[in-house]
Amino acid sequence: MADWLATLDRRAELRARAGLTRRLHPRGAADEVVDLAGNDYLGLSTHPEVTAAAGAALRAYGLGATGSRLVRGSTDAHHALEDDLADWLRAERALLFSSGYLANLGAVRALVQPRTLLVSDAHNHASLIDGCRISGAETVVVPHGDVAAVQAVLAAAPGRPAVVVTESVFSVDGDLAPLDRLHAVTRRFGAVLLVDDAHALGVTGPQGAGGVVAAGLAGEPDVVVTATLSKALGGAGGVVAGPAPFVRHLVETGRTFIFDTALPPAVAAGVRAAVGLARAADDLRAELADRATLAVRRLRAAGLTVSVPDAAVVSVTAPGPEAATTWAARCREQGVAVGCFRPPSTPDPRSRLRLTLNAGVPRADFTRALDVIVACAPVGATAEPGSRVAQVVS
């Protein structure tokens, strides 16, 4: 009867031997670590205007939405946020989901029709990968950032409906997809381009509108944008933005929209306040860019292998999964929280520390955190001569 539990124990033991054990680390409201692990890029999660808007909606609507969007879960707060997001992203319409993960699942599934071919970047986020799998469509995974490979796949399937799936700023190494060239290829073959703008929204583009707007692709009829509202906007939830007929299709057929309880109205109201702040936060975006340059320069000078970030994600290669775990734990003991990414959460065998920069962290704390990361580095965490990821433009 308990054999299945014994099997799970054995699997856990194998993960532990490989350095892949995962643990929850609860934090209190008064946690004082320097946060380079969360995704609150602009420091808006605790901004007084954001919390005040959320508090007012909490008092007005109560704790939850009380139902799915098509039953009782749609409120004025939801619709106002959708209008603001559509305007910011320069899309015809936007639709809220209760998480970015569900937004991606729903968007991929809704783009699939009979015989659809999905072309997915090898470094895509798990939510996009799962969306491709759940859709049941044939999926071809292409090498990371390889436009020629995308073109070859589409050229080999003439006449088939196709969707090219990519992130804008990739979540592991923080590099930017060649969106303009990808769109040129997708249009040439009559395909659709689906872009997850999660790590670009609020951080890149005019008024922080993200990678799609920055690439001049906003509002194109063959482009669909998704994003989470839990990163630069400091809240929760997800959004799909694009042509009005596609959003209507999601409302009428999207299972992750129809059958899920709506985002709490208080969160929608808080995120709406964050959108207004983010659009005017060019100074914070400039600070993030400056800190990214500083981080790469400081860590590279210490001999570490560091990605060249296009936004606010900096990854630092670790010698292996156990070394990455130990490195992150030592940093935490010194009051610095960093992300720890190990297979299978990485798109390749490399383990990494991932630093997600936060403009709300005091500058002195940030520079001290870089010193801590260097001081806690394990033996073997040094860049290989000539490594592409060690290169940086000063």
Side-chain angles (χ1 to χ4, degrees):
M1 181 72 96
D3 286 351
W4 69 282
L5 294 176
T7 298
L8 296 184
D9 285 339
R10 286 194 294 273
R11 290 178 178 175
E13 182 181 350
L14 291 174
R15 288 194 299 271
R17 291 178 182 176
L20 299 178
T21 297
R22 287 172 166 78
R23 294 183 177 87
L24 297 174
H25 299 282
R27 64 179 175 90
D31 184 31
E32 295 182 352
V33 301
V34 179
D35 186 6
L36 298 183
N39 297 308
D40 190 13
Y41 293 123
L42 301 178
L44 296 181
S45 66
T46 57
H47 192 285
E49 292 184 30
V50 172
T51 56
L58 181 64
R59 290 187 293 273
Y61 291 102
L63 181 60
T66 75
S68 66
R69 290 290 303 278
L70 292 172
V71 180
R72 287 284 292 169
S74 285
T75 68
D76 294 342
H78 293 87
H79 286 264
L81 176 55
E82 286 170 340
D83 289 344
D84 284 2
L85 287 169
D87 180 69
W88 192 23
L89 297 171
R90 305 179 191 178
E92 285 187 346
R93 283 189 63 188
L95 188 67
L96 288 178
F97 288 72
S98 63
S99 74
Y101 207 106
L102 291 181
N104 276 342
L105 295 185
V108 174
R109 181 66 186 87
L111 287 168
V112 167
Q113 53 184 301
R115 300 182 62 248
T116 293
L117 177 66
L118 298 175
V119 185
S120 179
D121 189 284
H123 283 205
N124 275 342
H125 187 265
S127 57
L128 294 173
I129 295 170
D130 287 351
C132 293
R133 290 172 177 171
I134 291 171
S135 75
E138 180 184 354
T139 301
V140 177
V141 178
V142 293
H144 178 51
D146 192 335
V147 179
V150 173
Q151 178 173 318
V153 172
L154 295 177
R160 286 185 65 177
V163 180
V164 176
V165 183
T166 185
E167 296 181 57
S168 54
V169 172
F170 286 89
S171 57
V172 174
D173 286 329
D175 55 318
L176 182 66
L179 294 179
D180 53 348
R181 291 189 289 130
L182 282 175
H183 181 252
V185 168
T186 57
R187 176 158 289 184
R188 186 181 313 150
F189 290 94
V192 174
L193 179 63
L194 173 62
V195 181
D196 181 350
D197 234 354
H199 287 274
L201 188 64
V203 179
T204 66
Q207 294 187 311
V212 171
V213 173
L217 305 180
E220 293 292 339
D222 50 0
V223 175
V224 172
V225 182
T226 67
T228 178
L229 311 177
S230 61
K231 293 183 171 51
L233 298 177
V239 63
V240 178
F246 179 66
V247 174
R248 179 187 63 207
H249 180 67
L250 278 171
V251 171
E252 295 178 354
T253 70
R255 294 175 68 85
T256 60
F257 175 81
I258 295 171
F259 298 106
D260 187 46
T261 297
L263 190 72
V267 175
V271 170
R272 187 185 181 208
V275 169
L277 293 166
R279 295 182 76 160
D282 286 345
D283 57 335
L284 297 181
R285 282 182 280 278
E287 177 66 16
L288 284 176
D290 184 61
R291 291 190 187 193
T293 299
L294 174 62
V296 173
R297 183 180 294 123
R298 173 71 180 91
L299 299 175
R300 182 185 178 218
L304 301 175
T305 302
V306 185
S307 67
V308 180
D310 288 307
V313 176
V314 178
S315 77
V316 188
T317 300
E322 290 188 22
T325 303
T326 301
W327 194 356
R330 288 174 178 168
C331 289
R332 181 64 178 80
E333 291 169 359
Q334 298 299 316
V336 177
V338 295
C340 179
F341 278 42
R342 300 159 292 165
S345 298
T346 57
D348 54 38
R350 278 195 300 137
S351 294
R352 302 158 169 85
L353 295 191
R354 189 184 75 168
L355 316 182
T356 42
L357 309 185
N358 184 335
V361 171
R363 181 82 175 208
D365 289 345
F366 173 69
T367 56
R368 182 181 71 82
L370 296 178
D371 292 339
V372 168
I373 292 166
V374 170
C376 293
V379 174
T382 55
E384 298 175 4
S387 169
R388 186 261 170 202
V389 293
Q391 298 169 10
V392 61
V393 178
S394 299

